[in-house]
Amino acid sequence: MNFLDSEKMAGILESRGFLMSKDEKKCDIFIFNTCSVREKAEEKLFSYLGRLKKRKRDRNLLIGVCGCVAQVEGNRILKRAPYVDFILGTRSFHKIGDVVEYLIENYGEKIIDIEMDSSPYPPEVKEIKRNELFREYVLIMEGCNNFCSYCIVPYTRGRERSRRLINIVDEVKRYVNVGAIEINLLGQNVNSYRDPEGYDFPDLLSEVSKIEGLKRIRFTTSHPKDFNEKLLSVILSRKNICKHIHLPPQSGSNRVLKLMNRKYTREEYLEKINMIKKSGIEFGISGDFIVGFPTEREDDFNETMSLLDKVKYSSIFSFKYSPRKGTYAEKNFKDMDEDIKLKRLMTLQNFQKEIQLKLNREKVGKIYEVLVESISKKGETLMGRTEQNYIVNFKGDESLIGKIVSVKITDYSAQTLKGKIIY
Ligand code: SAH
Ligand code: SF4
């Protein structure tokens, strides 16, 4: 989501004649798009800002902070870094063009706009800087109403609001007309999508999948409580909807899930996973995990380990619990010892690595359709993904980037598959 927001800001500025540069030393304007989901991300911002302080003494620079940290910290950023010129929150970053032009004319003034604009729809931004023509990210909804007790997103992104189905379909069509073959529908909780005319997420997915020429549709993230049979049956009925589900459980312990306010039990979660597996179609299933949530005991953690064992995720993202200011968990529970958190994270990741090794071993000899995404830094191998979101490396020409090729799996590691193109 942040990546897409950055592309929108870059697109808006480029449409007004500004140019992006990869060479920091040449830049006059610095814009930080920020994430605050964990503390580490937030700290990175201040260390970058510190580096610019000295540079700004020698030369007139314009420095802006946008996104989630801007939204929740607002004025406080100026206390720590008074040389920042503007702060735009998650619902005002689309004003960046006007703000930058105004501050160039009125250098020295400050602008802070972190208003939680409450209009029913997200703004329709058309100027998006497109980095790859074959793959696009499309916002379908933003915000979150779930208030998981550890999570800052409902505070940084506000309440849920969805774009109109017709606008989303139009945007996807425009991309497909100029060569996109993969679309990733984005939202903090995509299956809460609701068009005012009553269409839900499976309806949207179904409409998007009818667009001619669109080869692959992905979506992130689905909340387990809203994953249902209707959604699964749409996914199964369309060839171009990728057979990959990112369904983050966070924990395998009912006691912890309740404290997290996740609104489902381990059993309900597993029922949904079984529903997917029962289809008999090969799905990639991935998930997010938080270890060391306050009060998590060894037996709770073991429940998470046993969930990994039962589900057999093709990949996971796992994090140590990070207390976020203002959330229910931060206000009501004591953070636990960092060493225990780290030990559990390592145990979880090592176990998952073993699972992935086993799963990947079974794929040797199989043939997958792979969308080629990039070339390795050394220029030796191509990297692409199967519809299940498995990463595959193989030899091939750079001209294949953006194309779908058939690859036979010949080798594997825990993270990736290796293969050979079949012509
Ligand atoms: N809406 C998605 C998650 C979005 S945040 C969902 O509900 O599944 C992305 C991931 O960051 C979460 O799945 C969670 O694993 C992690 N995360 C969020 N807040 C966190 C916190 N306070 N500490 C550690 N990890 C956190
Ligand atoms: Fe955060 Fe929970 Fe909303 Fe996901 S569903 S964004 S974890 S509050």
Side-chain angles (χ1 to χ4, degrees):
M1 189 72 82
N2 273 23
F3 192 78
L4 176 61
D5 290 347
S6 295
E7 290 185 339
K8 287 178 181 168
M9 287 193 271
I12 292 168
L13 289 171
E14 283 197 346
S15 75
R16 298 189 185 209
F18 294 94
L19 294 173
M20 286 262 277
S21 172
K22 286 203 172 110
D23 184 354
E24 269 189 39
K25 290 188 197 83
K26 290 189 180 142
C27 292
D28 305 302
I29 306 171
F30 288 81
I31 297 159
F32 293 87
N33 191 18
T34 57
C35 169
S36 61
V37 79
R38 284 170 293 277
E39 194 178 4
K40 214 165 149 191
E42 206 172 297
E43 279 311 312
K44 271 192 195 161
L45 165 70
F46 288 102
S47 84
Y48 269 116
L49 283 175
R51 295 218 311 256
L52 288 182
K53 184 179 175 183
K54 192 172 154 287
R55 207 178 293 172
K56 193 167 174 174
R57 253 184 251 135
D58 305 334
R59 203 170 127 210
N60 280 353
L61 298 180
L62 209 53
I63 303 174
V65 177
C66 306
C68 292
V69 179
Q71 186 64 48
V72 286
E73 292 297 315
N75 262 324
R76 282 194 295 264
I77 295 174
L78 288 184
K79 292 218 175 79
R80 254 177 103 171
Y83 43 90
V84 166
D85 301 283
F86 65 95
I87 295 172
L88 293 178
T90 51
R91 292 202 172 179
S92 38
F93 71 83
H94 58 284
K95 300 176 191 164
I96 191 127
D98 292 342
V99 167
V100 166
E101 281 174 354
Y102 177 86
L103 289 175
I104 288 172
E105 291 297 316
N106 301 275
Y107 193 70
E109 282 190 32
K110 307 247 179 234
I111 291 182
I112 301 172
D113 184 347
I114 51 169
E115 206 191 322
M116 251 308 153
D117 151 32
S118 58
S119 67
Y121 307 106
E124 291 290 326
V125 178
K126 289 219 166 67
E127 306 92 336
I128 303 177
K129 183 178 169 62
R130 307 182 65 211
N131 294 308
E132 300 163 325
L133 297 179
F134 63 92
R135 181 168 61 160
E136 295 295 343
Y137 295 87
V138 175
L139 177 94
I140 64 161
M141 61 80 66
E142 63 181 8
C144 183
N145 296 350
N146 290 322
F147 288 93
C148 300
S149 63
Y150 51 82
C151 184
I152 195 132
V153 170
Y155 307 93
T156 58
R157 294 275 176 178
R159 297 293 71 73
E160 287 171 6
R161 54 183 193 177
S162 300
R163 287 175 70 195
R164 283 180 187 279
L165 182 138
I166 186 166
N167 291 345
I168 298 168
V169 171
D170 273 358
E171 184 176 349
V172 177
K173 275 185 184 160
R174 274 193 282 124
Y175 292 143
V176 173
N177 281 342
V178 290
I181 56 176
E182 180 176 289
I183 294 288
N184 202 324
L185 304 174
L186 293 182
Q188 263 82 31
N189 179 11
V190 285
N191 37 14
S192 288
Y193 174 83
R194 192 68 67 194
D195 176 283
E197 282 165 47
Y199 302 112
D200 61 9
F201 183 59
D203 296 330
L204 171 72
L205 208 49
S206 172
E207 281 311 302
V208 172
S209 73
K210 288 179 196 154
I211 296 172
E212 215 162 303
L214 179 55
K215 297 259 171 40
R216 285 186 169 193
I217 304 160
R218 300 187 181 279
F219 51 90
T220 25
T221 296
S222 317
H223 192 293
K225 80 173 163 51
D226 301 318
F227 189 88
N228 57 24
E229 251 169 87
K230 180 175 176 189
L231 177 54
L232 182 63
S233 78
V234 173
I235 298 170
L236 289 172
S237 69
R238 305 295 170 130
K239 211 177 160 294
N240 59 359
I241 302 179
C242 289
K243 305 301 180 276
H244 169 228
I245 311 267
H246 184 65
L247 207 62
Q250 312 300 353
S251 168
S253 150
N254 279 335
R255 197 184 69 80
V256 173
L257 285 172
K258 194 150 199 231
L259 290 178
M260 286 178 161
N261 191 30
R262 284 296 283 181
K263 304 184 182 89
Y264 52 82
T265 61
R266 169 193 175 88
E267 291 72 27
E268 284 161 348
Y269 180 84
L270 280 170
E271 226 167 82
K272 308 216 172 186
I273 296 290
N274 283 338
M275 192 164 89
I276 299 167
K277 289 192 170 171
K278 268 205 314 236
S279 71
I281 304 288
E282 180 177 354
F283 269 89
I285 301 176
S286 55
D288 298 344
F289 291 84
I290 298 176
V291 297
F293 185 79
T295 80
E296 185 188 69
R297 303 180 303 237
E298 265 317 295
D299 59 325
D300 295 311
F301 177 64
N302 288 337
E303 289 276 88
T304 301
M305 294 284 280
S306 111
L307 189 76
L308 285 186
D309 192 33
K310 276 202 146 84
V311 177
K312 305 251 179 332
Y313 295 93
S314 47
S315 67
I316 63 163
F317 297 95
S318 50
F319 313 100
K320 288 184 288 178
Y321 167 72
S322 166
R324 306 313 293 128
K325 218 167 40 205
T327 59
Y328 183 87
E330 185 267 339
K331 286 194 275 192
N332 293 278
F333 305 126
K334 194 171 152 281
D335 193 13
M336 76 164 69
D337 191 64
E338 197 59 27
D339 291 345
I340 302 178
K341 288 201 251 181
L342 187 62
K343 194 169 148 259
R344 288 186 185 162
L345 186 70
M346 292 296 123
T347 310
L348 183 101
Q349 290 180 345
N350 286 335
F351 185 45
Q352 174 62 20
K353 205 171 153 191
E354 277 174 38
I355 293 173
Q356 283 178 208
L357 267 175
K358 261 192 217 150
L359 290 176
N360 285 351
R361 189 179 308 144
E362 287 160 15
K363 291 175 190 123
V364 173
K366 284 189 166 189
I367 295 169
Y368 290 96
E369 302 269 278
V370 174
L371 171 57
V372 187
E373 290 181 8
S374 58
I375 188 158
S376 71
K377 279 204 186 101
K378 289 184 198 145
E380 285 163 357
T381 50
L382 296 172
M383 185 284 255
R385 281 170 211 268
T386 70
E387 63 165 326
Q388 295 83 0
N389 214 31
Y390 309 149
I391 296 174
V392 189
N393 294 316
F394 51 97
K395 286 212 168 91
D397 191 80
E398 206 173 335
S399 62
L400 293 173
I401 293 176
K403 302 209 165 71
I404 294 179
V405 294
S406 290
V407 177
K408 185 170 182 176
I409 306 306
T410 53
D411 202 356
Y412 63 95
S413 67
Q415 302 302 337
T416 58
L417 298 168
K418 291 191 186 84
K420 247 187 172 159
I421 295 193
I422 313 242
Y423 289 96

